[in-house]
Amino acid sequence: MTTLLPVAGAAQIRQAAVNEIRTDRKAFAAVLVLNALAVGVGLVGPWLLGKIVDAVGKSPARDAVGTVDRLALVILVCTVAQIVLTRCARYVGYRFGERTAARIRERFLDRVLALPAAVAERTSAGDLIARGTTDAPTIAFALRTAAPDVFVAVIQATFIIGAVVVLNPVLGLSSLSCLLVATIAVRWYLRRSSAAYRTEAASGSQLAEALATSVAGARTIEALGLAEMHSMTTASSIDTARRARLATLRLRSVLFPALDVSYVLPLVAVLLIGGVLHNRDAVSLGTVVAAAVYLRQLVGPLDTVMLWVDGVQSAIASYARLEGLSSTPTVRQAISAEPADNRIRIIDVSYAYDHGRDVLHGVELDIEPGERLAVVGTSGAGKSTLARLLAGIDTPRTGSIHVGGVPISGLDADRLRHHVALVTQDQHVFHDTVRGNLLIARPDATDAQIRSALAAVGADWVDDLPDDLDTHLDGTGHRLDAAQAQQLSLARVVLADPHTVVLDEATAQMDPTSARNTERALAVVLEGRTVIAIAHRLQTAHDADRVAVMAAGRIIELGTHDDLIAREGTYAALWHSWHGEKRTAT
Ligand code: ATP
């Protein structure tokens, strides 16, 4: 069962945002100061315009011309200074935004890569894809465009309102009261929008997951006649996503008209109240003009906030989803001690999937270096689970698995792969070159070592590839068949050179020719290593040094093939029945 990744709560988002600013605090301070200066210089113009109006009204015409010229020159200088300062503020702001976006993206990637294999396996692929391909770009876009604009707009609006209050408190307060409409509308919106945008993003993830599963399992779906059921599931996901979108659209359709009205109201109030006050000689005409011009200027910043409030909301929802990854468990606590030898000890191991019931109960086993151990048992006995624990993919609920006296769960991936490797039939070929696919196992491997690993597993097909080790193995490049993919994974094992290999159904579902080729390659790879093989054919058990028989999550018999046959227990019964079937078949 796949699960969705967590989403960060409000406190976590605030903390992460504060950390973001702290990391680049100098740039943030520069953005703040430059914007404040640009806005401050911009406020001088309307104030001087008011002075011009008053000068023209009071002075004789000749004196007024000189005053107007002087003031107009100062307005010009202020305008040029504002342009220069705004340009610098934007430049610094955009750079800050880009750097922050890059950090968020890199942190997301680091967190995804740090997810323990078991968590990554159970995480919904659609959710991860949506967070990487939708949420990360949404934040980057918002930081590149919305954040600098909104930041400037908020500073501008604050300064403009402050200027009107300083100019005339009555006019300032009356315009402020009209902004109440905007405040109420925005609060109404924000209270609902956060949840609505999160629902929208989550429904997008679910839709991506539904599509990804249908595409990945298209053949199986067709073969089992499940197409209609999958179409219905996808249609229901589309419907949920559509309804979530409509919900956010409804919120916007209330907010925008309300804001439209609210930012014209202060201007109307200043003109009406200013007119009355001027008639009573309580304010000069210049003050009313300056206040009206300021409030006209308020339209710009409010417009910007209105334009981006939506983008900022969805960016915050995306940020919450990317930051949510910080609460997932990361790769285990690394232990610095090096294993003393190659001995594997399984000590009283119990394990349960996703807090369910235990599927392994008090498993105890010592495996000698170089030993070949076969694990047999009926389906569901816990063989594959034990293999995953041995390979360090999952961690025991209680008890531990040691290699050379060190718990496997304390070795990070880089160290673990030099000790234990798991080979299953699910071989992943990465969208990379042949070389890139192999360097995963040993990043410092030379071409000669790569070639020798490929030769060891009989992958001579590499010589026929158009670009040799540089040939791309993906949808657009060369495609490998199952046997070639398995050879590639075995070459990785050769390069990683672990002393212990755990085999789980490595060839179980291959066609006979591929299985024979792979087994030949396997024989070379396994030479000189400890082998723990989940045995589906009892011939493997027959050839092993020891056989462990599992039933209902416990090892119920352990010994050599001959010992267990002589004991006439479960293994002997399995052997006789398998041998009998084989004889009948031949
Ligand atoms: P098989 O030979 O059929 O693969 P097995 O002996 O390898 O069987 P496991 O696959 O280890 O058995 O399964 C042991 C138990 O754990 C079973 O009851 C199975 O249903 C359960 N189990 C296996 N994988 C998961 C999982 N991902 N989530 C929950 N339970 C699981």
Side-chain angles (χ1 to χ4, degrees):
M1 200 185 72
T2 58
T3 50
L4 291 183
L5 290 161
V7 175
Q12 207 180 338
I13 296 176
R14 265 197 301 275
Q15 188 54 51
V18 169
N19 289 344
E20 228 71 85
I21 292 171
R22 269 205 201 128
T23 315
D24 209 353
R25 62 170 82 88
K26 277 193 192 147
F28 186 77
V31 176
L32 207 65
V33 170
L34 284 170
N35 275 307
L37 283 177
V39 175
V41 172
L43 290 177
V44 176
W47 178 65
L48 292 181
L49 195 65
K51 293 275 175 223
I52 291 176
V53 170
D54 284 345
V56 170
K58 282 182 202 155
S59 327
R62 204 176 303 150
D63 295 350
V65 171
T67 314
V68 170
D69 283 351
R70 268 197 315 280
L71 293 178
L73 188 67
V74 180
I75 291 177
L76 186 69
V77 171
C78 287
T79 308
V80 172
Q82 189 188 12
I83 291 170
V84 174
L85 283 166
T86 305
R87 197 214 166 265
C88 295
R90 298 243 147 186
Y91 178 75
V92 179
Y94 287 138
R95 285 180 62 98
F96 172 78
E98 286 295 346
R99 273 199 302 270
T100 310
R103 261 199 322 276
I104 292 173
R105 265 198 307 260
E106 279 162 17
R107 205 168 49 231
F108 171 72
L109 191 64
D110 287 345
R111 284 177 181 161
V112 170
L113 294 177
L115 285 178
V119 175
E121 265 182 14
R122 274 169 234 152
T123 295
S124 144
D127 192 21
L128 259 185
I129 293 169
R131 288 185 198 218
T133 57
T134 311
D135 293 326
T138 302
I139 296 172
F141 180 71
L143 279 169
R144 196 174 300 132
T145 52
D149 284 1
V150 170
F151 193 66
V152 174
V154 169
I155 296 180
Q156 276 177 340
T158 316
F159 273 49
I160 288 172
I161 291 167
V164 180
V165 173
V166 169
L167 209 57
N168 185 289
V170 178
L171 293 182
L173 291 179
S174 57
S175 65
L176 255 185
S177 63
C178 291
L179 280 178
L180 265 181
V181 179
T183 315
I184 292 168
V186 171
R187 279 180 70 91
W188 174 89
Y189 177 80
L190 291 182
R191 215 171 293 143
R192 288 159 181 78
S193 60
S194 188
Y197 279 107
R198 274 182 210 187
T199 312
E200 189 182 330
S203 65
S205 282
Q206 254 153 17
L207 180 57
E209 169 69 3
L211 291 174
T213 350
S214 295
V215 170
R219 283 207 194 134
T220 319
I221 292 168
E222 224 172 71
L224 299 178
L226 300 173
E228 201 171 323
M229 197 188 87
H230 265 261
S231 297
M232 273 162 60
T233 316
T234 312
S236 137
S237 299
I238 292 173
D239 189 47
T240 312
R242 185 180 143 272
R243 271 188 282 123
R245 279 211 145 217
L246 282 179
T248 56
L249 187 66
R250 262 194 299 277
L251 291 179
R252 291 194 291 273
S253 61
V254 172
L255 175 76
F256 289 166
L259 280 178
D260 260 340
V261 170
S262 74
Y263 68 59
V264 183
L265 280 180
L267 187 60
V268 173
V270 159
L271 288 177
L272 284 177
I273 298 169
V276 172
L277 291 177
H278 179 63
N279 272 347
R280 293 180 185 171
D281 286 332
V283 291
S284 70
L285 185 60
T287 304
V288 179
V289 170
V293 174
Y294 277 141
L295 290 174
R296 226 7 249 148
Q297 283 190 352
L298 193 60
V299 173
L302 285 184
D303 237 354
T304 308
V305 173
M306 199 174 89
L307 182 76
W308 287 123
V309 78
D310 220 28
V312 169
Q313 275 300 295
S314 67
I316 291 174
S318 291
Y319 191 50
R321 285 158 53 76
L322 289 200
E323 277 306 310
L325 247 71
S326 66
S327 33
T328 52
T330 46
V331 190
R332 54 266 181 97
Q333 292 285 310
I335 289 176
S336 54
E338 272 305 317
D341 55 33
N342 300 345
R343 196 176 307 270
I344 305 257
R345 288 195 69 198
I346 304 175
I347 309 164
D348 195 19
V349 162
S350 297
Y351 180 79
Y353 283 98
D354 301 325
H355 312 292
R357 64 180 177 82
D358 274 2
V359 295
L360 290 185
H361 312 268
V363 176
E364 292 266 358
L365 194 61
D366 281 2
I367 303 152
E368 292 296 315
E371 183 178 0
R372 294 192 169 225
L373 176 84
V375 183
V376 302
T378 50
S379 178
K383 306 181 296 289
S384 297
T385 307
L386 186 64
R388 289 167 62 84
L389 295 185
L390 277 164
I393 294 173
D394 277 321
T395 311
R397 188 181 64 73
T398 60
S400 58
I401 300 183
H402 285 197
V403 54
V406 173
I408 278 185
S409 56
L411 298 175
D412 59 39
D414 281 346
R415 288 163 73 206
L416 182 61
R417 67 166 166 250
H418 295 304
H419 295 282
V420 187
L422 174 68
V423 179
T424 70
Q425 63 177 339
D426 297 326
Q427 297 320 327
H428 193 76
V429 178
F430 293 91
H431 283 207
D432 201 342
T433 57
V434 176
R435 184 186 290 105
N437 264 281
L438 290 169
L439 287 179
I440 293 166
R442 186 164 157 195
D444 60 352
T446 61
D447 275 8
Q449 286 166 327
I450 290 177
R451 282 183 209 287
S452 127
L454 286 165
V457 298
D460 43 12
W461 44 267
V462 173
D463 300 334
D464 302 329
L465 293 178
D467 297 316
D468 197 35
L469 295 180
D470 291 320
T471 307
H472 266 271
L473 303 176
D474 55 30
T476 53
H478 187 83
R479 269 180 184 277
L480 298 187
D481 61 32
Q484 289 172 332
Q486 185 63 286
Q487 281 175 329
L488 202 65
S489 85
L490 291 176
R492 280 189 204 124
V493 176
V494 174
L495 281 173
D497 195 22
H499 53 74
T500 300
V501 177
V502 183
L503 298 174
D504 188 5
E505 304 195 68
T507 57
Q509 283 173 27
M510 283 187 178
D511 62 80
T513 321
S514 302
R516 250 197 317 280
N517 288 341
T518 306
E519 263 155 23
R520 252 200 304 275
L522 252 179
V524 177
V525 173
L526 300 180
E527 192 62 42
R529 304 182 205 273
T530 310
V531 180
I532 303 163
I534 308 302
H536 292 268
R537 273 163 302 172
L538 288 191
Q539 189 59 46
T540 313
H542 175 266
D543 299 340
D545 299 327
R546 274 196 307 167
V547 181
V549 183
M550 290 193 73
R554 290 187 168 81
I555 294 184
I556 53 165
E557 288 177 14
L558 180 66
T560 64
H561 168 81
D562 293 339
D563 285 348
L564 295 185
I565 293 290
R567 210 183 285 177
E568 293 192 356
T570 308
Y571 179 75
L574 279 173
W575 175 261
H576 292 311
S577 118
W578 179 75
H579 216 56
E581 271 174 30
K582 222 175 89 173
R583 242 195 318 242
T584 324
T586 51

